[in-house]
Amino acid sequence: MATSLGSNTYNRQNWEDSDFPILCQTCLGENPYIRMTKEKYGKECKICARPFTVFRWCPGVRMRFKKTEVCQTCSKMKNVCQTCLLDLEYGLPIQVRDTGMSIKDDIPRSDVNKEYYTQNMEREIQNSDSTRPVGMLGKAQNPSDMLLKLARATPYYKRNRPHICSFWVKGECKRGEECPYRHEKPTDPDDPLADQNIKDRYYGINDPVADKLLKRASSMPRLDPPEDKSITTLYIGGLGENVTDSELRNNFYQYGEIRAITLVQRQQCAFIQFATRQGAELAAEKTFNKLIINGCRLAVKWGRSQAAKETDVKDGFDEMGTGLEPVPGLPTTLPPPPALEEEAPANYFNLDPSSSPALMNISLPPPPGLPNPPPSDWFCGPGSHMIDKILI
C-alpha cells in the first residue's frame, strides 16, 4: 500500500510496524529455517482496516505460501494466530474457546466505535506485562473440561497443503507435476467447511468449523467408574518411549496417594494403583481425554478386577479387553476327533457293507515260501477229527 507523504500524519501514527509475526506452530511450519518477506504497511487488517506489516513465507516443501491476515493488535485482543485465527493456547476456533470459557464478545462492529475500542486496547496492551491476554479473555475463568478434551496437542501440518486445482478437476490443467496446486478430487463440493468468513471466525459467529467441534464435544465418550469398588487402578496407554515413572507420578500425585506405578515399556502403557477409590475416581475424571505428556495425548481407562482378568486371558483377551495375537511358530489347536460309532463294525478294506459275510471273511494269501493253510471245509462238525494225511 502506498503511503502518503503529506503533513497530515494523525492516522499514520496508528499504523502498525512489527519485526516478527504472531503465529502458531502449525502455520510457522516444521522447517526451523524459513525465509520471510516483510512488507511494511503492505495491506489493511481484515478486522480493523488499519495498515499493518505483512509477512509472507512458505512453511515447508510442497506447501502453499502463507501470509498474515490481521494486525497484531487484533491478534493480541483475541490471543489468536495472525494467519489462521485459531487460539494460540488450545488451537481451537474462537467460538469454541469463548463457549468453553463463557466469554461474551464485546467488540463493536461499527467503524467509529471499533477504532475507539482498538485504541483503548492498544493502550492496555502497552501497559500490560505481555504474560497473559488482555480484555475479557484475561478476566475469564479457568478453562472447562471441553477445551482440554478438544485441544490439539501437536501441530497439524496437513493444513498447510496447497488448495485443489480447479483446472485439474475440470480436466483442463496442462502444468502436470509443475502445478503448485493439488491434483485431487474434492471430497464434498457442498461441504460447509469450505465456505468460511474471516470476520465471522474472528467474532465467533456462524463458524462451521466451530459448530462441528461443538457437536463432537457433545457426543464425546465418558469414563464411568466400574461397579466393583475394589478397583483402584488406572490404565494409561499411548505412552512414548521417553515417559518415565517420575513424570507419571508428578501428574497423578495431586489426586490422591499412589500405592504403586507399574510401567510396561514394551507395550507403552502403565498401571497406576491408588490407595483409595476416591483418589482413583478423581484422577479418572480429571485426566480422561485431557492428559498430555511430552506432547502426546494419553488414553486413560479403568483397570479390571483379578477375576475378570483371568476369565479374559482364558478366552483369548488381555486385561484391557483387546484380543490376544497368536504367537508365531507355535502349532495351532488340533481339530476334535470324529464321533465313534460303536455299532458300526470295523471295515478296513472299504468293502461294501451290503456284501455277504463270506466275502467279508476272505483271508489274505500267505507269504512266499510258506504252505497254504487248509481250506475251511476240511474241518468237520463238532467232535470229528481232521484228515490225518495231507497230499501235497
Side-chain angles (χ1 to χ4, degrees):
M1 172 179 290
T3 58
S4 175
L5 300 178
S7 60
N8 187 6
T9 60
Y10 173 75
N11 291 329
R12 289 184 57 188
Q13 67 182 357
N14 294 326
W15 291 5
E16 181 182 281
D17 184 15
S18 56
D19 295 329
F20 197 80
I22 301 175
L23 302 174
C24 62
Q25 189 173 357
T26 300
C27 291
L28 193 58
E30 57 184 343
N31 184 10
Y33 308 101
I34 60 174
R35 294 180 179 179
M36 280 191 179
T37 60
K38 174 183 175 182
E39 185 179 1
K40 191 174 181 179
Y41 310 140
K43 282 184 175 296
E44 290 184 352
C45 175
K46 294 186 178 180
I47 305 300
C48 64
R50 296 188 308 168
F52 72 105
T53 302
V54 178
F55 294 89
R56 188 173 182 269
W57 72 98
C58 182
V61 181
R62 301 294 297 177
M63 300 294 180
R64 72 176 188 271
F65 277 83
K66 310 193 77 172
K67 60 182 176 60
T68 52
E69 304 290 346
V70 297
C71 65
Q72 291 196 3
T73 302
C74 294
S75 172
K76 292 177 181 179
M77 285 193 301
K78 290 284 189 176
N79 192 33
V80 295
C81 173
Q82 282 188 264
T83 300
C84 63
L85 297 187
L86 295 180
D87 185 77
L88 293 174
E89 185 176 357
Y90 303 104
L92 298 173
I94 297 176
Q95 183 177 349
V96 178
R97 184 202 61 192
D98 292 351
T99 303
M101 302 182 70
S102 301
I103 299 176
K104 186 178 180 181
D105 185 24
D106 60 346
I107 298 180
R109 303 294 192 271
S110 62
D111 294 338
V112 177
N113 293 335
K114 188 190 305 181
E115 184 178 356
Y116 176 75
Y117 180 84
T118 304
Q119 291 178 1
N120 292 336
M121 294 303 300
E122 271 190 336
R123 193 177 302 110
E124 184 178 351
I125 292 172
Q126 292 176 359
N127 296 331
S128 64
D129 55 357
S130 301
T131 58
R132 56 178 304 171
V134 296
M136 293 297 297
L137 186 60
K139 303 175 183 178
Q141 58 184 0
N142 294 330
S144 63
D145 295 341
M146 180 191 68
L147 290 182
L148 298 177
K149 292 178 181 178
L150 295 177
R152 183 174 293 276
T154 56
Y156 185 64
Y157 297 120
K158 191 177 179 181
R159 199 172 64 213
N160 299 331
R161 295 184 304 168
H163 297 294
I164 295 178
C165 180
S166 59
F167 288 91
W168 184 85
V169 174
K170 295 183 292 184
E172 299 177 359
C173 183
K174 300 180 180 179
R175 293 185 178 184
E177 296 181 356
E178 298 180 356
C179 182
Y181 299 96
R182 283 187 294 154
H183 286 183
E184 298 178 6
K185 291 184 178 180
T187 55
D188 186 8
D190 300 329
D191 189 1
L193 301 181
D195 186 14
Q196 302 182 34
N197 190 324
I198 188 170
K199 288 188 176 182
D200 290 345
R201 292 179 55 197
Y202 186 82
Y203 293 122
I205 56 175
N206 301 327
D207 188 354
V209 179
D211 294 338
K212 182 178 179 181
L213 291 176
L214 292 175
K215 290 180 181 179
R216 182 191 300 176
S218 61
S219 61
M220 290 185 70
R222 299 174 54 187
L223 184 62
D224 298 327
E227 298 180 358
D228 190 356
K229 297 297 182 180
S230 63
I231 299 177
T232 60
T233 303
L234 295 180
Y235 166 83
I236 312 300
L239 299 178
E241 298 179 355
N242 299 326
V243 177
T244 60
D245 180 276
S246 60
E247 291 178 339
L248 293 174
R249 189 176 297 274
N250 292 337
N251 282 273
F252 283 93
Y253 82 96
Q254 54 186 329
Y255 306 115
E257 181 183 354
I258 297 176
R259 180 174 297 173
I261 296 180
T262 304
L263 191 62
V264 185
Q265 290 288 357
R266 183 177 180 183
Q267 303 294 335
Q268 293 189 354
C269 65
F271 296 91
I272 301 178
Q273 184 180 10
F274 286 85
T276 60
R277 174 60 179 259
Q278 182 180 1
E281 291 182 358
L282 181 61
E285 179 184 357
K286 296 296 184 180
T287 59
F288 179 65
N289 280 344
K290 293 175 287 186
L291 181 61
I292 300 175
I293 299 179
N294 295 339
C296 298
R297 186 183 296 275
L298 307 183
V300 179
K301 299 180 181 179
W302 278 97
R304 311 192 71 177
S305 61
Q306 190 65 26
K309 291 179 182 178
E310 295 176 357
T311 304
D312 290 343
V313 170
K314 291 180 181 179
D315 295 340
F317 295 90
D318 62 0
E319 56 189 11
M320 292 310 301
T322 56
L324 297 175
E325 298 182 357
V327 180
L330 294 181
T332 57
T333 57
L334 296 176
L340 299 177
E341 299 180 1
E342 298 179 357
E343 299 180 356
N347 188 5
Y348 301 105
F349 301 101
N350 297 327
L351 298 178
D352 188 6
S354 60
S355 59
S356 60
L359 294 177
M360 295 293 293
N361 296 329
I362 296 177
S363 60
L364 294 176
L370 296 179
N372 295 329
S376 59
D377 55 356
W378 284 24
F379 296 89
C380 301
S384 61
H385 60 280
M386 190 173 57
I387 299 176
D388 296 332
K389 188 176 182 181
I390 301 176
L391 299 177
I392 301 176

